């Protein structure tokens, strides 16, 4: 064997694997969007077969020999190949630790649990979902013990989304953040409340679709490569940089929900649309980690989308497109309404300030299920207790409680901290950008080019070339949650005087 | 080897193949519906890989040895296994005649040509589509010569949709039909014209979606297993009897287009939803042929959907759901409007009477491209000439001309005769039903159960257990196009006095 031959063997193997992943990705999107509900069992079987074929290809004798050869000779490779080979080698190593049939059964489970969650949420029926959720948590614990029996299984699981993140780091982060947020939330609860009711329910679903188009255009999302669809729980999925999908959900009673979902998922989409061309076809062609990903989505959702210059432009758009609807609402009031803060039931609708409190609840619950101190069966009760404790709320039903997020049905456990981490990263991006240009001026002008160019240059194009903590450090230096806490204090003290 | 072992080997092989077909089917649907336009190239590559994997599995040494063993011992098998093995053996034989890379390249071509057709249709730009269409026709000619170099290549190609159909049979059918339709069409052109303009443009797209729901309910389509989506050119696609997809297209200016598309595709869907359970997992689990399939879709579209009892019920629904819209239109006039006959540009919008003339034009063109007497480049000119000759129309652009149908972009060449054949079959079903019950009474009552039970018992549940001509004969005896011609004469003479 020589390097050139080995690279060719690997490339051919990866092309077939990519096709299987592409198929699995589209089957997954289809299942979450337009597939009839009764199709879940067949789809689960197909996912199982694709998992088996994928396993066989990853562990294929010839291809894995080539990979091992390349890994031994990685110092001779160019930087992209070197990183690609290292990542693939790590993935091969992980794959070999999990028996093929166990992996296939878990893929099938996820296809089913996703469909059952969907039904359970609509019916607000946790009992329907419980047996599946139990299996998902058990499966993830087993996976963790197979991958690394020495480490804490929840840490191993978090690694899947954020390499090298662990409970120690999360605890430190939340430990710093919570004491700064809690008094602010308490103060706001005692302040005069902002009433956004009359404004947010003004637009029909058909009109909200036009507002989505406005948001997509504002983010400069290229519709040739980025589609917009509908689903129960908003998500972005990418096949490659030429096939990125945003999905939102329209509620007639709140146009802000669908619009901020589009902007949030649009931030994810921008990342995937701008991965460097030289990484296409390698394992590095995707967002670096989930915290990095959420740092993009949350950046556009909040630092851009909930900024005063954006709400002013949105106000202009709405008064022009739908005359007579919000004309009597001043831009000052509109900004305050959009940024209304305070305890709420739904994470994805939460204001910037309380958002991380939602995340901390999920983190706490996951961790305790992993260490065995909480049973899946007791999740709803415990969920509701924590929402009472942290946010002073009564959860009226599981649809607006423990069933609200799709994540667990897809085994996205250990994922939630990424949202808070990503939100905090954004405050540091903003500070960094201000050293060379004014990002809010760009929002005001309606042309986000400088913001997007900066993010593309610093983050997007690099894909997975660096580990996430290293990538963040290369952009902003040390991670400092106080920048985020300062930002929130300044913004919400001003809003609520 | 013994029969039991061989059946198990074959079953396992078929399970994996089913997963690949499932994936290819969903990728195809995705490409025709929600995928961003720029995703076509990647999807084409994936289709190529799936084609290669499929080829390897079909020709797998162990599985094909098992199949050959079973084919030799087919007399020992039960009827379903025997038929399944015979069909699979025929398929293996066909697969072996076409080189793997040629098949993969053709799959890739179709994924691309489908996307290009879509763009070309919207832009009304035949030149964009022409090079792809040329390759599709060339590929299908080559395929025919590989499958059976002794037979007429167009006959071989028609076989794909309707086993044993050939130009001799088509010529005989059209030869009998055309002389009966032409004078009727000519007479109607001289009669007083029906004006449906004010009625068909009354409903917004959002309202048309409600009319679609009415049509789905009327056909008793179970939404758990049958979804309704949107696309450029209406189609039905089925993964299995628990996953059937209908797609329609909404034009604000004509609510009848979307509704009759839903009913037409709904007829296809009913067929797939009622394949016998004992055929699931075999190669027999699907509609018997395209003429049989179109005989279902055209039956519900016309014999049910354009019948007087249906238009009365539709009138009731529309006046109740959208008060004040068509209240001033009498049920008599509404029936006449819905059945307005006369030359038109678009096949899928054609009335029952002129419909087959559209089919004959396509049949004529395909045949001449296959025998070399017509070049793909000259298709638009020739299309327009034939529409002038047969229907007295000037085709204003290729969008409403040669680019209107998606079929050729998907290599569905030799498919069109199925529509006319299926339409003719329907007249014989109606006559057969009347021997045991009154199908129009069922329509009038709003409960199609007796109609659907009859079709399920006679046709749907049997899947591909019989060859199409045999299945039709088992239901209606000899094929007799005069029953169809009589039906059309009676209906349209009455409508136009």
């Amino acid at each position: 064997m020589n390097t050139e031959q080995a690279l060719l063997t690997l490339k051919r193997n990866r092309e077939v694997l990519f096709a299987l992943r592409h198929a699995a990705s589209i089957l997954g999107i289809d299942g979450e969007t337009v597939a009839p509900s009764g199709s879940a069992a067949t789809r689960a079987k197909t996912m199982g077969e694709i998992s088996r074929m994928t396993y066989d290809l990853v562990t294929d004798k010839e291809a894995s020999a080539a990979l091992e050869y390349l890994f031994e000779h990685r110092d001779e490779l160019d930087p992209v190949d070197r990183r690609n080979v290292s990542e693939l080698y790590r993935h091969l190593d992980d794959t070999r630790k999990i028996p093929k049939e166990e992996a296939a059964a878990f893929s099938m489970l996820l296809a089913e649990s996703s469909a059952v969650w969907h039904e359970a949420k609509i019916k607000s029926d946790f009992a329907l979902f419980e047996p599946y959720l139990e299996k998902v948590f058990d499966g993830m614990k087993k996976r963790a013990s197979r991958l690394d029996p020495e480490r804490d299984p929840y840490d191993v699981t978090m690694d899947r989304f954020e390499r090298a993140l662990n409970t120690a780091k999360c605890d430190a982060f939340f430990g710093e953040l919570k004491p700064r947020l809690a008094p602010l939330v308490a103060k706001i609860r005692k302040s005069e409340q902002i009433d956004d009711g009359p404004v947010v329910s003004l637009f029909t679903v058909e009109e909200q679709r036009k507002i989505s188009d406005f948001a997509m255009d504002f983010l400069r999302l290229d519709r040739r490569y980025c589609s917009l669809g509908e689903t129960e729980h908003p998500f972005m999925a990418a096949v490659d940089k030429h096939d990125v999908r945003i999905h939102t959900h329209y509620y007639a009673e709140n146009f802000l929900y669908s619009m901020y979902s589009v902007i949030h998922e649009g931030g994810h989409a921008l990342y995937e649309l701008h991965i460097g061309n030289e990484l296409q076809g390698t394992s590095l062609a995707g967002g670096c980690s989930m915290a990095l990903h959420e740092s993009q989505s949350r950046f556009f959702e909040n630092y851009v989308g909930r900024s005063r210059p954006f709400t002013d432009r949105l106000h202009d758009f709405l008064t022009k497109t739908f005359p007579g609807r919000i004309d009597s609402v001043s831009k000052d009031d509109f900004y305050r309404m959009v940024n209304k803060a305070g305890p709420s039931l739904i994470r994805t609708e939460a204001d910037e300030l309380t958002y991380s409190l939602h995340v901390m609840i999920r983190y706490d619950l996951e961790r305790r299920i992993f260490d065995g101190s909480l049973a899946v069966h007791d999740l709803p009760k415990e969920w509701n207790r924590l929402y009472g404790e942290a946010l002073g709320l009564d959860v009226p039903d599981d649809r607006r409680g423990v069933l609200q997020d799709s994540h667990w049905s897809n085994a996205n456990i250990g994922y939630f901290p990424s949202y808070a981490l990503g939100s905090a990263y954004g405050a540091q991006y903003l500070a960094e950008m201000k050293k060379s240009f004014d990002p809010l001026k760009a929002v005001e002008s309606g042309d986000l080019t400088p913001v997007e160019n900066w993010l593309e240059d610093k983050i997007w194009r690099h894909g997975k070339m660096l580990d996430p903590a290293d990538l963040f450090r290369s952009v902003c230096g040390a991670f400092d949650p106080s920048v985020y806490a300062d930002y929130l204090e300044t913004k919400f003290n001003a809003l609520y005087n």
Side-chain angles (χ1 to χ4, degrees), chain A:
Chain A
M1 204 174 319
N2 65 40
T3 304
E4 203 179 336
Q5 285 167 346
L7 281 170
L8 268 176
T9 301
L10 190 64
K11 182 168 177 282
R12 183 66 202 119
N13 176 260
R14 301 300 303 172
E15 283 168 353
V16 189
L17 271 168
F18 179 85
L20 289 176
R21 297 230 168 93
H22 182 180
S25 163
I26 298 298
L27 281 159
I29 294 171
D30 179 71
E32 303 245 16
T33 53
V34 295
S37 62
S39 67
T42 303
R43 189 165 48 256
K45 274 189 208 158
T46 292
M47 289 302 213
E49 298 298 350
I50 291 179
S51 167
R52 283 187 196 95
M53 287 185 262
T54 299
Y55 192 100
D56 288 342
L57 274 163
V58 169
T59 59
D60 171 76
K61 216 172 135 186
E62 206 192 341
S64 52
L67 181 55
E68 277 156 357
Y69 175 90
L70 290 167
F71 187 69
E72 277 163 38
H73 297 78
R74 62 188 178 279
D75 293 340
E76 301 160 25
L77 302 173
D78 70 37
V80 171
D81 282 340
R82 192 184 314 136
R83 175 78 180 174
N84 185 31
V85 161
S86 300
E87 292 295 295
L88 290 176
Y89 187 80
R90 182 195 288 251
H91 179 244
L92 172 63
D93 194 45
D94 282 354
T95 302
R96 282 173 169 158
K97 288 177 184 162
I98 295 168
K100 176 173 156 185
E101 284 309 315
E102 196 173 301
F106 199 64
S107 287
M108 289 175 69
L109 171 67
L110 295 189
E112 287 192 282
S113 76
S114 163
V116 172
W117 164 79
H118 198 276
E119 195 187 338
K121 180 179 173 186
I122 287 166
K123 295 184 178 165
S124 197
D125 180 359
F126 181 76
L128 193 66
F129 184 45
E130 188 185 317
Y132 291 86
L133 187 56
E134 198 137 355
K135 280 184 205 159
V136 170
F137 269 103
D138 286 348
M140 288 304 280
K141 284 188 215 175
K142 192 165 183 183
R143 176 182 174 279
S145 72
R146 290 207 186 269
L147 289 185
D148 193 343
E150 307 300 317
R151 278 173 70 205
D152 176 78
Y154 189 60
D155 283 354
V156 176
T157 300
M158 278 203 284
D159 232 29
R160 188 175 164 221
F161 303 106
E162 198 65 25
R163 185 174 292 168
L165 185 63
N166 55 38
T167 49
K169 288 180 192 168
C170 279
D171 288 346
F173 170 43
F174 291 144
E176 186 167 345
L177 195 59
K178 201 171 178 177
R180 305 237 351 228
L181 297 186
L184 206 52
V185 174
K187 242 167 64 183
I188 285 175
R189 286 179 67 180
K190 281 183 227 138
S191 311
E192 197 190 335
Q193 296 307 297
I194 298 170
D195 182 15
D196 64 354
V199 168
V200 299
S201 61
L202 277 180
F203 302 94
T204 66
V205 167
E206 205 51 53
E207 287 167 346
Q208 289 183 38
R209 292 200 177 97
K210 286 200 184 116
I211 302 174
S212 291
D213 289 335
F214 163 78
M216 298 276 290
D217 289 345
F218 199 87
L219 261 61
R220 304 171 69 241
L221 286 160
D222 187 338
R223 301 294 274 262
R224 285 175 304 170
Y225 305 114
C226 182
S227 65
L228 174 61
E230 294 176 35
T231 187
E232 178 61 31
H233 191 92
F235 70 97
M236 183 282 302
V239 173
D240 63 13
K241 71 184 291 182
H242 294 129
D243 188 354
V244 177
R245 319 282 180 104
I246 294 176
H247 306 87
T248 190
H249 190 105
Y250 294 101
Y251 294 103
E253 66 272 21
N254 189 349
F255 85 96
L256 292 175
Y257 181 90
S258 60
M259 189 195 70
Y260 281 114
S261 293
V262 168
I263 298 179
H264 177 99
E265 305 307 336
H268 285 302
L270 283 169
Y271 198 170
E272 295 290 335
L273 289 162
H274 292 92
I275 301 292
N277 288 328
E278 72 283 10
L279 304 182
Q280 296 307 308
T282 74
S283 65
L284 314 172
C288 179
S289 74
M290 284 330 297
L292 262 301
H293 239 303
E294 296 301 340
S295 76
Q296 305 310 305
S297 53
R298 301 280 300 161
F299 184 84
F300 284 93
E301 180 187 350
N302 294 318
Y303 299 95
V304 171
R306 287 194 170 90
S307 72
R308 179 62 192 258
F310 180 82
T311 64
D312 282 359
R313 290 199 73 94
L314 176 61
H315 191 281
D316 289 341
F317 169 77
L318 294 174
T319 46
K320 201 179 138 194
T321 313
F322 308 107
R325 233 60 88 71
I326 64 156
D327 302 49
S328 62
V329 178
S330 74
K331 284 184 174 173
D332 278 349
D333 284 343
F334 189 64
Y335 172 68
R336 282 164 49 81
M337 286 174 185
V338 167
N339 282 288
K340 188 183 89 157
S344 64
L345 289 167
I346 310 292
R347 176 185 59 84
T348 53
E349 291 174 32
D351 59 88
E352 283 181 84
L353 184 60
T354 55
Y355 185 86
S356 293
L357 301 175
H358 293 258
V359 169
M360 292 175 207
I361 291 172
R362 288 153 179 77
Y363 168 70
D364 183 34
L365 293 169
E366 289 182 349
R367 214 174 148 177
R368 285 156 59 199
I369 291 177
F370 257 72
D371 73 19
S373 64
L374 178 65
V376 166
H377 178 74
D378 297 325
L379 256 179
K381 211 174 58 191
E382 195 55 15
W383 178 287
N384 298 351
R385 192 185 67 75
L386 291 175
Y387 265 78
E389 188 181 284
L391 292 153
L393 292 171
D394 275 330
V395 178
D397 50 41
D398 290 339
R399 187 171 64 82
R400 282 171 285 184
V402 69
L403 289 174
Q404 68 181 261
D405 292 311
S406 61
H407 299 62
W408 291 339
S409 73
N410 296 322
N412 289 334
I413 299 165
Y415 182 120
F416 286 108
S418 315
Y419 288 111
L421 213 50
S423 301
Y425 286 176
Q428 288 187 259
Y429 298 156
L430 205 64
E432 256 334 282
M433 283 179 197
K434 282 179 181 162
K435 292 179 186 168
S436 48
F437 70 99
D438 185 348
L440 293 181
K441 274 265 178 241
V443 180
E444 197 184 321
S445 77
D447 180 4
L448 289 185
T449 307
V451 173
E452 296 186 5
N453 283 352
W454 191 91
L455 289 167
E456 178 176 13
D457 182 54
K458 307 272 183 191
I459 299 169
W460 300 342
R461 68 187 176 95
H462 302 292
K464 299 180 206 282
M465 277 298 286
L466 292 175
D467 276 3
D470 296 336
L471 178 60
F472 180 79
R473 204 175 300 118
S474 77
V475 181
C476 298
F479 173 50
D480 179 2
S482 74
V483 181
Y484 179 45
D486 290 348
Y487 160 86
L488 291 173
E489 277 179 5
T490 308
K491 176 166 185 173
F492 287 93
N493 276 325
L495 267 161
Y496 284 86
N497 305 314

